[in-house]
Amino acid sequence: MEKLYDQHGQVAVIALHNPPVNGLCHELRTRILAAQKAAEADPSIKALVLIGSGRVFSGGADIREFNTPKGMAEPTLPTVLDALDFLQKPVIAAIGGVCMGGGLELAMACHYRVALHDALIALPEVKLGILPGAGGTQRLPRLLPVETALNMIVFGEPLPARQLQSTLLFDAILEGELFEGALAFAQKIIQDNPPLRRTRDLPLVSTQDAMAQASALIRKSLAPHYPAPIRCIEAVSGAFSLAFDSGIQLEKQLFQELVESDVSKALRHAFFGERAASKLADIPDTTKTRDIRRVAVIGAGTMGRGIAMNFLNAGLPVVLIEQHQDALVRGIAAIRSQYESSVKKGKLKEADFEKRLALLTSSLAYEDLKDADLIIEAVFENMDVKLNVFKSLDQVVKPGAILASNTSTLDVNAIASATSRPQDVLGLHFFSPAHIMKLLEVVRGAQTAPDVLATAMALAKTIKKTAVVSGVCDGFIGNRMIESYSQQAMKLLEEGATPQQIDRALEQFGMAMGPFRMSDLAGNDIGWAIRKGKLAISADPHYPRLADRLCEKGRFGQKTGLGWYRYEAGRREALVDPAVNELIVAYREEKGMKARTISDAEIVDRCILALVNEGARILEDRIAQRSSDIDMVYLSGYGFPLFRGGPMFYADSIGLKTVLEKIQNFQKESDDPFWKPANLLASLAAQGRTFNSTVG
Ligand code: NAD
């Protein structure tokens, strides 16, 4: 039988071992409990040390057991911690690396804790819409001042152990070797033989008044829509007003309530969705990736600059290529000024600013691409221009280099076919501003090689993006859906709503920005140019034309000071402009339309269900691999409210039968082919299934 612990003199050393983060899975929990019992029964053992590796103590619950019977099977974490509480020999947690969630709760139930100075300590449960459910809310205020404890529990951010030095949470902060340090500490405890110090029996560190003050301050900074932070405060409050065991009961009850809340379900969906998005069904995780040591960006315009910064920030050298010297000079100056402003705001150290700029070179000659391992094209959105660029690239770049286009709408397969190596070509669709926006759509061409995709997904992690794979279609996942959403916003305008009513209704639903404010920010002329190029739109009698009228008046948005709103110089506040209302009224008159009163609920339903219906088609067409990928696109790139989990999850949570009925009603009322329900939606609704259940 496997050894439960190693004996070092009078000390039993229990190793936590469950790679990659020593998640507290059922097997590990069982082993810890058995080892505790065995060590207690062994008279030669006088103290126990619980230790992980230098890299990780424990990341908490094992996410692989989430939603499985094993996750809740005995011994649960609270059972293990109860046993620790009643152990008659001192237990020391030796903490290095990550110590989070259940891992920290385990450590807090030990009698002593020693930690490496840089160990990362957190209770991040709130980020999944829950609270620490294994005594964390009751033990932490017995070890830390309440203000620190509350901040850790309510916001879930990690702190380095050294920042918590001189608190009861840590008995020693170690600089050197964890194991040796922990063993020496255990031996000293054996020698001194103090009475057992159980966290549950300790008095609260702070007074009730301090608790009231800290919670009043924190409540002011909480975002609406998220119940967990409030419940965290209530649970910690219980530590002050209740005996330990009753506090634990309160924590359990609040935990249960949160686990079942829609918001927590949405947050957990997003958490797993992010992990799932990086996996490709037909490309194994073991696929060997290509080495990317040097990057080239073609085009130093709005996108090229931001794209280049991503790689400079990650420490990769970038060569920026342009067709004109002045464009190159402008591009480099813009990058420099972005970094300078980060330095001024204290977000970037002067030395890092120098380092990043030193990694940037520039050129007007394609010859200088010959050493690049990845080339990202960000030139004008014009097929002929792009085809010429890719033809030229094909002549100079080395074999095996990856060729990417940042196109928003063009056919990546057509672009790939301009080269002699379509297997090396893919789309890398960054969003503006490219150095800030989290989303990266990785567009998989018909011939893109598996290792090229695997490399792109790995690289996305290096540059801290959320990458989602999309097939080739007009607008890929995100913009294809936003087109339907914008069309509905525009039709609502024609029928009687105002831009500010529509924006407000959708912002109250939780969208970061309503469609009209968003369009003003992005530039109304971008959509106008795209619409002009599409025959299907020109020929569609149902297509709303108001946005074209706006653009014909030169109202391109914030950049011209006038758009759906008016903007004062140097300010971004969207001000209502009567001229826009006049334009809308004149348009309705011309079309013989009579304005009606439209409810906010109708606005939300029509805009959001337009997204959902198009999302269903995208799934049906296999443009997206899974419905959570669509949610990730909307959460990370389009300001969809996280607490709703993304458009597809939102549809699942209200029920696809209801979604279908609403869409069928819109179809009946408007007689607009726009509202034809997607086949996938109809069939899933008929089967009582969800979009999420279609995950393969
Ligand atoms: P931009 O007009 O700001 O910049 C394009 C740059 O490419 C210009 O500086 C131009 O001089 C340069 N260029 C043109 N032809 C070239 C050539 N043959 N060789 C080298 N340089 C050349 O355009 P942008 O907004 O940065 O857009 C670039 C691409 O990114 C387009 O495909 C666009 O659809 C896509 N995109 C744009 C956004 C956005 O919000 N602007 C978002 C996502 C994707």
Side-chain angles (χ1 to χ4, degrees):
M1 192 180 130
E2 193 191 349
K3 255 199 315 184
L4 289 170
Y5 55 80
D6 271 334
Q7 187 160 356
H8 292 260
Q10 296 176 308
V11 182
V13 177
I14 304 174
L16 305 179
H17 185 71
N18 177 27
V21 294
N22 294 339
L24 296 164
C25 65
H26 182 249
E27 195 193 327
L28 184 54
R29 298 193 304 265
T30 309
R31 280 193 46 227
I32 298 172
L33 194 62
Q36 278 176 45
K37 285 189 180 150
E40 176 136 73
D42 183 343
S44 68
I45 297 293
K46 301 285 184 240
L48 290 75
V49 167
L50 265 178
I51 190 167
S53 67
R55 215 178 50 78
V56 58
F57 177 72
S58 168
D62 191 328
I63 59 169
R64 292 166 293 200
E65 282 188 358
F66 271 36
N67 304 326
T68 71
K70 274 192 169 175
M72 295 311 279
E74 286 291 350
T76 60
L77 187 56
T79 304
V80 176
L81 304 197
D82 277 350
L84 268 175
D85 261 345
F86 294 104
L87 210 70
Q88 295 304 318
K89 296 178 181 177
V91 187
I92 296 114
I95 301 166
V98 173
C99 176
M100 293 190 182
L104 180 55
E105 290 180 299
L106 172 65
M108 286 195 285
C110 295
H111 305 102
Y112 301 96
R113 285 154 297 279
V114 298
L116 291 179
H117 67 104
D118 57 354
L120 279 183
I121 311 299
L123 287 173
E125 287 82 351
V126 72
K127 297 192 173 177
L128 296 182
I130 51 177
L131 51 72
T137 65
Q138 305 303 299
R139 287 194 177 88
L140 201 60
R142 288 175 159 83
L143 298 168
L144 288 180
V146 69
E147 202 189 326
T148 318
L150 261 182
N151 270 295
M152 283 179 69
I153 295 170
V154 172
F155 298 110
E157 294 302 325
L159 288 176
R162 64 174 166 274
Q163 220 164 299
L164 301 166
Q165 199 161 13
S166 325
T167 66
L168 283 174
L169 187 57
F170 296 118
D171 298 281
I173 296 288
L174 307 172
E175 295 288 336
E177 227 275 314
L178 180 64
F179 178 72
E180 305 299 333
L183 211 55
F185 185 89
Q187 274 146 3
K188 182 153 183 352
I189 292 289
I190 294 171
Q191 200 178 18
D192 296 351
N193 195 23
L196 280 184
R197 193 189 69 187
R198 297 193 174 90
T199 307
R200 56 175 285 135
D201 297 334
L202 294 175
L204 278 309
V205 173
S206 309
T207 62
Q208 197 137 14
D209 271 0
M211 165 71 204
Q213 270 175 24
S215 65
L217 204 67
I218 285 181
R219 274 175 193 271
K220 280 191 201 150
S221 64
L222 297 181
H225 305 296
Y226 293 86
I230 306 273
R231 299 287 176 261
C232 287
I233 296 175
E234 287 170 12
V236 174
S237 209
F240 286 80
S241 56
L242 302 169
F244 182 81
D245 288 325
S246 307
I248 291 280
Q249 281 312 313
L250 172 70
E251 179 191 89
K252 205 174 183 181
Q253 178 197 323
L254 294 173
F255 176 86
Q256 207 48 44
E257 181 195 313
L258 288 173
V259 164
E260 284 157 21
S261 69
D262 287 346
V263 173
S264 174
K265 286 180 189 156
L267 295 177
R268 283 178 277 154
H269 170 74
F271 176 84
F272 287 109
E274 170 126 34
R275 272 149 193 79
S278 63
K279 305 209 179 304
L280 286 105
D282 59 338
I283 300 180
D285 285 347
T286 48
T287 307
K288 195 171 164 352
T289 56
R290 300 189 187 178
D291 260 359
I292 306 292
R293 292 176 200 278
R294 302 188 65 81
V295 178
V297 177
I298 308 187
T302 313
M303 293 308 288
R305 299 164 191 177
I307 293 171
M309 285 173 74
N310 278 290
F311 296 98
L312 299 174
N313 297 350
L316 284 162
V318 175
V319 55
L320 196 55
I321 304 276
E322 254 295 342
Q323 55 180 356
H324 302 300
Q325 180 64 25
D326 54 342
L328 201 51
V329 169
R330 274 198 308 274
I332 290 172
I335 293 176
R336 170 179 275 279
S337 116
Q338 278 284 349
Y339 282 140
E340 276 168 353
S341 118
S342 301
V343 171
K344 261 193 217 135
K345 289 183 195 149
K347 290 184 184 164
L348 180 69
K349 288 194 198 117
E350 189 75 40
D352 290 333
F353 163 69
E354 298 296 342
K355 255 190 237 158
R356 289 179 192 182
L357 279 185
L359 290 169
L360 179 64
T361 50
S362 63
S363 172
L364 295 176
Y366 276 40
E367 260 303 291
D368 289 323
L369 292 170
K370 62 182 189 315
D371 294 330
D373 304 301
L374 166 69
I375 298 97
I376 304 176
E377 163 278 308
V379 304
F380 303 131
E381 185 75 345
N382 174 298
M383 189 52 116
D384 291 337
V385 176
K386 301 229 191 241
L387 291 179
N388 278 332
V389 168
F390 275 79
K391 270 183 204 143
S392 313
L393 285 180
D394 199 22
Q395 305 301 314
V396 291
V397 305
K398 63 184 180 188
I402 296 178
L403 310 182
S405 172
N406 183 48
T407 179
S408 318
T409 54
L410 300 175
D411 181 346
V412 172
N413 291 328
I415 293 174
S417 66
T419 72
S420 62
R421 39 180 134 184
Q423 73 282 0
D424 296 339
V425 179
L426 83 172
L428 288 180
H429 185 209
F430 289 80
F431 288 71
S432 181
H435 60 298
I436 292 175
M437 293 294 289
K438 284 283 284 173
L439 177 62
L440 177 65
E441 278 182 323
V442 174
V443 186
R444 177 178 195 166
Q447 297 188 58
T448 309
D451 67 334
V452 168
L453 276 166
T455 307
M457 299 310 276
L459 199 65
K461 284 200 180 124
T462 310
I463 59 171
K464 302 196 173 82
K465 297 284 180 206
T466 299
V468 176
V469 176
S470 170
V472 175
C473 70
D474 188 4
F476 313 124
I477 298 173
N479 284 345
R480 175 167 157 183
M481 283 166 70
I482 210 74
E483 161 59 22
S484 299
Y485 171 86
S486 310
Q487 260 196 63
Q488 275 314 303
M490 230 44 88
K491 287 185 182 186
L492 285 158
L493 212 55
E494 290 186 346
E495 291 169 37
T498 60
Q500 49 278 17
Q501 187 200 356
I502 297 171
D503 280 352
R504 196 190 54 229
L506 286 160
E507 284 164 18
Q508 272 168 3
F509 171 80
M511 297 299 290
M513 212 182 256
F516 296 98
R517 286 209 301 133
M518 188 170 82
S519 188
D520 271 359
L521 177 67
N524 298 319
D525 51 322
I526 295 184
W528 192 32
I530 294 173
R531 289 192 296 278
K532 280 196 272 195
K534 286 191 179 148
L535 275 180
I537 291 184
S538 331
D540 181 356
H542 291 276
Y543 204 91
R545 310 279 166 196
L546 255 168
D548 297 349
R549 297 290 160 83
L550 189 85
C551 289
E552 283 156 17
K553 293 200 173 309
R555 301 186 69 118
F556 294 163
Q558 285 193 20
K559 60 185 165 193
T560 55
L562 292 173
W564 292 107
Y565 297 92
R566 138 184 109 69
Y567 301 85
E568 284 174 358
R571 301 189 52 185
R572 286 173 177 269
E573 197 188 343
L575 303 166
V576 174
D577 187 348
V580 172
N581 199 34
E582 283 164 24
L583 186 122
I584 299 171
V585 170
Y587 177 87
R588 285 193 200 119
E589 270 171 19
E590 178 196 315
K591 299 262 168 182
M593 297 171 95
K594 203 167 166 304
R596 65 180 174 92
T597 305
I598 297 177
S599 71
D600 286 2
E602 179 179 343
I603 291 172
V604 169
D605 272 352
R606 281 177 52 184
C607 292
I608 301 298
L609 298 187
L611 280 181
V612 171
N613 203 30
E614 196 58 37
R617 290 197 187 103
I618 283 174
L619 266 184
E620 203 176 300
D621 296 349
R622 301 194 170 276
I623 294 299
Q625 288 192 96
R626 48 180 91 81
S627 100
S628 64
D629 280 8
I630 299 178
D631 288 332
M632 291 324 296
V633 167
Y634 266 74
L635 293 175
S636 58
Y638 291 83
F640 198 91
L642 181 60
F643 64 88
R644 297 196 192 273
M648 310 312 277
F649 184 79
Y650 171 72
D652 283 347
S653 58
I654 54 177
L656 296 192
K657 196 164 159 283
T658 309
V659 170
L660 179 64
E661 280 165 10
K662 287 187 183 220
I663 288 182
Q664 284 167 334
N665 275 340
F666 294 146
Q667 192 181 22
K668 235 183 273 155
E669 283 162 14
S670 65
D671 196 26
D672 184 348
F674 177 96
W675 283 118
K676 183 178 177 327
N679 295 335
L680 182 69
L681 169 63
S683 76
L684 291 175
Q687 296 168 57
R689 288 176 60 194
T690 59
F691 288 126
N692 211 29
S693 72
T694 60
V695 174

